[in-house]
Amino acid sequence: MTGPADGGSAAGDGSGPGGGGYRVWALGGLPEVRGGDDLAKLIASVSPGLRDGDVLLVTSKIVSKAEGRVVAADDREEAIDAETVRVVARRGALRIVENRQGLVMAAAGVDASNTPAGTVLLLPVDPDASARAIRDGLRDTLGVDVGVVVTDTSGRPWRTGLTDVAIGAAGVRVLDDLRGGTDAYGNPLSATVVATADELAAAGDLVKGKANGLPVAVVRGLAHVVDGAGDDEGARALVRGAADDMFRLGTSEAVREAVTLRRTVREFTDEPVDPGAVRRAVAAAVTAPAPHHTTPWRFVLLESEASRVRLLDAMRDAWIADLRRDGKSEESVAKRVRRGDVLRNAPYLVVPCLVMDGSHHYGDARRDAAEREMFVVAAGAGVQNFLVALAGERLGSAWVSSTMFCRDVVREALGLPEDWDPMGAVAVGHAAAPPKERPARQAGRFIEVR
């Protein structure tokens, strides 16, 4: 295939959108871009034949250079640190992070190639604004209405190899939402949203290449993706929000994040709890370490309101009796009983229990006491696993110790065996509000080194 009249390389059959075809070519003749250069004027000078409906695909490197994003950095890692908002995954020296632009990519997009020694290239501060500036400049210079996509190279989860993706866009429909339509067989489309801007970026990468010195490509024949009104959301619309991101963290980071997310929640919404999520959390709980290869955990799931009310009413009566025996005033009794509302207001309760099956009996009080302590520690480890796993399921929880003060009452209310020791109760549900910030704990305060 021969190249287009204005130089560079080309792909596509050249037919218009009616025939389902398009043409894409890389622009040749662009000079080395330096800080302060007007990219729109440079592009116009080598491609004066741009038309309404064309889409320009501009490599982020030249945008960064024009915007002065070349910075001195003897240590690239320091530059990555400065651009990182959140570490997603780490393996050796490689880091996948969320950067200041909200993009998740290797090394925060910090590039040490195609830049002078001792410097690194940072991504544009606002790639969508950069795309708008180029688009407006081409309209002023050439009088054409084009779309602009700023692209960068990125890897993808579960897929080997790199491709270009859109990190900034202007005048382009970045997402094509097909939900509500039907396919060729009349089947309803309920989940199909096409990342049009990323598809354009990848098409441009085919002709720009990684080492050809051709940082800009043009797509012609897809005018239907150009938004002439200019009120597009930009490429930021392509970034999946945290609430919808099922794969937000790497493995070790997910564990640490889940531990951090494990916060005591005392107010819950009315949203039902998925019993499957609780069972998955129990599956994580029973992987905790335990003495003598035993399994000292039992989890009683109170999924019916009747079982929860029966337990909590029995516990309340026992607690009131204890408080009155302690000489507490009725006002004090009422105040203390209200503290149990976290359990009563939760839509789901779990009572973890300890069983001593497999424990050793030494006939020695000291060693028998230590044996029980080992099992209690194992029960605590199981509960911690359970709470962390609930946090990973985006469920809030509160571990309340009150069942330990009236174990006989709990066993009777729930019909449990005599050798099951309730180890508190866990309120489970969807948090009514984000947890309050808690002061950071410095690990060094809890460490002694010998």
Side-chain angles (χ1 to χ4, degrees), residues 1-5 8-12 23-25:
M1 177 180 293
T2 58
S9 55
R23 186 159 62 101
V24 56
W25 69 91

Side-chain angles (χ1 to χ4, degrees), residues 315-375:
M315 289 174 54
R316 178 197 58 202
D317 293 344
W319 196 8
I320 290 174
D322 283 345
L323 292 171
R324 285 172 175 166
R325 278 194 298 269
D326 292 340
K328 301 297 183 184
S329 67
E330 291 304 310
E331 180 182 357
S332 176
V333 169
K335 181 178 180 180
R336 290 168 183 267
V337 168
R338 282 196 298 271
R339 294 176 184 171
D341 285 348
V342 62
L343 295 178
R344 197 169 290 276
N345 296 335
Y348 198 110
L349 292 182
V350 178
V351 178
C353 295
L354 167 68
V355 296
M356 296 291 290
D357 292 350
S359 62
H360 294 177
H361 298 281
Y362 301 96
D364 176 285
R366 175 179 56 82
R367 287 189 290 171
D368 285 344
E371 182 79 2
R372 178 172 175 80
E373 286 179 0
M374 288 197 303
F375 275 75

Side-chain angles (χ1 to χ4, degrees), residues 108-289:
V110 175
D111 197 344
S113 62
N114 296 307
T115 185
T119 67
V120 295
L121 200 58
L122 309 181
L123 290 178
V125 172
D126 184 346
D128 286 327
S130 302
R132 288 193 296 270
I134 295 171
R135 182 179 186 230
D136 292 344
L138 288 169
R139 183 189 294 115
D140 294 341
T141 304
L142 298 178
V144 293
D145 189 15
V146 299
V148 176
V149 176
V150 177
T151 72
D152 196 61
T153 302
S154 180
R156 300 150 299 157
W158 310 292
R159 305 286 288 180
T160 298
L162 304 171
T163 186
D164 266 19
V165 298
I167 66 168
V172 173
R173 190 191 318 148
V174 297
L175 292 168
D176 192 4
D177 192 346
L178 303 181
R179 292 173 296 182
T182 57
D183 63 16
Y185 294 92
N187 299 311
L189 299 174
S190 59
T192 304
V193 180
V194 178
T196 304
D198 281 346
E199 292 181 328
L200 290 166
D205 193 38
L206 290 172
V207 295
K208 289 188 296 178
K210 301 300 180 192
N212 297 334
L214 299 170
V216 180
V218 180
V219 175
R220 180 167 293 166
L222 299 178
H224 62 287
V225 306
V226 175
D227 174 16
D231 58 351
D232 51 282
E233 293 183 84
R236 183 165 286 275
L238 291 161
V239 178
R240 192 183 299 275
D244 298 324
D245 189 351
M246 296 176 64
F247 309 100
R248 188 166 169 78
L249 298 166
T251 304
S252 61
E253 290 74 21
V255 172
R256 287 194 292 271
E257 181 76 1
V259 171
T260 302
L261 286 173
R262 202 249 16 108
R263 302 285 295 279
T264 297
V265 174
R266 299 187 180 278
E267 296 182 11
F268 301 95
T269 69
D270 294 332
E271 182 179 352
V273 171
D274 175 15
V278 178
R279 283 160 173 78
R280 289 191 293 272
V282 171
V286 298
T287 64

